[in-house]
Structure formats: C-alpha cells, structure tokens
Amino acid sequence: DAKTTQPPSMDCAEGRAANLPCNHSTISGNEYVYWYRQIHSQGPQYIIHGLKNNETNEMASLIITEDRKSSTLILPHATLRDTAVYYCIVRVNSGGGADGLTFGKGTHLIIQP
Amino acid sequence: DTGVSQNPRHKITKRGQNVTFRCDPISEHNRLYWYRQTLGQGPEFLTYFQNEAQLEKSRLLSDRFSAERPKGSFSTLEIQRTEQGDSAMYLCASSLFPSYNSYYEQYFGPGTRLTVT
C-alpha cells in the first residue's frame, strides 16, 4: 500500500468547513483513497473512499487531484462531535485488498466552539 | 445496536500472566480482523480470519500472541506471558467479503484496553 502524509493536527471553528489534506504521491493506479476517523476512546469509523472521481456522502466529501497524488477530506459544517483523529489510507480494492488496513498517525482535528 | 462488540473493555493484569480477549463481529460478516493501538499511534494490523480460516498471521507481534475463530463467528486473541510492552488498546473489526458495494469497509469495535503492571 502507498504511504500517506498528513499534518499532525488542525483546528477548525464550529460551523465552518474542515478541510483535511493528505499526500499520497506514490499511489498506484489500482489504489483507492480511504478515510477513517477515530473519536476518543472509540474504534475507527469509516467515512468515505474514492478512486479518482470526487465523492460525497452524508458525512463528508472527498476531493482527489487529477494526478491522484493528493486528496482533501471536507467536513462541510464541522461540529464539536467531529473532533477526532482522521486517517487517510491508500489501498487496493481487490480481493487481496480486503486484508488489514495500514494506519499512519493521522490528523488530530480539533473543532473549536 | 448489532455492531462489533469486545469483552472485556478493560483488563489489568500482572506481568507474566496470560490474557484472552473476545470479539463478536457483526453477525453476517465473514471477515474478522485484530489490531493493536498504542498511545499516539494509529492501529496496527495483527491478523485476520475469513470464516474460521486465519489468512494472515505473520504480523502477530510474537509467538506469545495467538488468535482463534473456531466456528467462524466470535474470535479470541490470547497473549501469553504478558509484558509491560503489551499494554495497549486491542481493536477488533469485521467486514463482509466480497461486498455487494465492491469495497471493503471495516467496522470496528470499541476495543479492549490492556494494562500490564
């Protein structure tokens, strides 16, 4: 799986959009970008994933650059409950990709009231 | 809520003792994963099962660590002769493979926090 680089921490004001960047310059053509988050004292939670097109679901939007070397997770209206560590993970999505996830240290997002 | 459950949630043990943790996955999920998470780090993958078959165990941290899933439902993770360095959060996750959505979202439990004194 390709390596990812994320800032260790970020702040965002409540109600504003939180934009979390991730660099994955060595991503391969068959690797997807996944985002998980981990709220304090809980297990990680899946947020969203994508290959090359931008994706949106009820939790967030994922913007992947055209060269796929970086991506941004967007939480459109951050709330205090979005305070968590956010992990960007790159992995293949075939049968062989259904093994363990490789987590980095992630970005600790703190939503300020 | 029929999510992934783990027991116990907390375990304090003395160095040298054996400990066993249990994970109950989401009922229709055939894949089950174990991870370890130390303070300030992301989860570290240890092993996984598809039904009762253990498909990856080379990443178990040492031969003191073992996992089972005898009937393809719940799983146990055992650590023998615990050491202080084993103190960590042990997370379990499950997924459905193959997935009709063609991706493999893993659902995590709340974890078991182990403290070795």
Side-chain angles (χ1 to χ4, degrees):
Chain A
D1 295 336
K3 181 178 172 60
T4 61
T5 303
Q6 299 178 252
S9 65
M10 293 181 63
D11 288 348
C12 179
E14 188 177 19
R16 305 296 294 269
N19 297 279
L20 292 92
C22 179
N23 286 321
H24 32 79
S25 59
T26 61
I27 192 170
S28 300
N30 62 344
E31 288 181 314
Y32 285 66
V33 180
Y34 279 77
W35 283 84
Y36 280 72
R37 74 178 182 184
Q38 187 172 23
I39 295 170
H40 183 61
S41 296
Q42 297 182 21
Q45 175 192 24
Y46 165 84
I47 301 173
I48 198 168
H49 80 286
L51 181 62
K52 55 184 178 181
N53 297 321
N54 298 335
E55 302 287 345
T56 296
N57 63 19
E58 65 279 4
M59 291 183 67
S61 295
L62 174 61
I63 308 297
I64 302 173
T65 58
E66 190 170 347
D67 63 7
R68 302 207 326 120
K69 292 185 177 182
S70 65
S71 60
T72 301
L73 178 74
I74 301 172
L75 307 179
H77 305 287
T79 70
L80 297 179
R81 288 174 296 179
D82 292 322
T83 292
V85 178
Y86 288 76
Y87 298 100
C88 170
I89 298 168
V90 172
R91 58 174 292 159
V92 296
N93 224 29
S94 64
D99 56 2
L101 297 168
T102 301
F103 291 84
K105 293 187 177 182
T107 296
H108 187 194
L109 176 66
I110 300 171
I111 305 301
Q112 304 283 359
Chain B
D1 189 316
T2 57
V4 178
S5 62
Q6 293 187 245
N7 288 288
R9 294 292 309 278
H10 302 273
K11 177 71 176 178
I12 300 174
T13 191
K14 293 184 177 180
R15 184 165 52 93
Q17 297 295 305
N18 298 344
V19 294
T20 300
F21 311 137
R22 175 176 171 130
C23 171
D24 287 89
I26 293 171
S27 59
E28 63 268 26
H29 284 183
N30 54 354
R31 289 205 167 182
L32 186 148
Y33 308 79
W34 284 100
Y35 292 80
R36 182 182 79 159
Q37 186 173 25
T38 54
L39 198 62
Q41 304 295 317
E44 176 186 12
F45 168 66
L46 297 179
T47 188
Y48 84 108
F49 295 84
Q50 178 161 321
N51 300 313
E52 65 275 10
Q54 191 171 9
L55 299 186
E56 171 64 66
K57 55 183 177 181
S58 66
R59 301 196 195 184
L60 285 168
L61 301 164
S62 78
D63 58 7
R64 297 184 297 106
F65 287 72
S66 62
E68 293 184 340
R69 194 182 184 197
K71 297 182 179 180
S73 57
F74 73 91
S75 175
T76 57
L77 178 69
E78 181 182 17
I79 308 174
Q80 296 183 328
R81 306 181 302 280
T82 53
E83 302 173 356
Q84 287 189 319
D86 297 332
S87 295
M89 176 75 81
Y90 291 85
L91 292 159
C92 174
S94 70
S95 70
L96 181 63
F97 177 80
S99 166
Y100 72 94
N101 278 334
S102 73
Y103 62 90
Y104 307 102
E105 176 183 344
Q106 293 185 16
Y107 294 80
F108 283 81
T112 294
R113 181 166 296 284
L114 173 66
T115 302
V116 182
T117 62

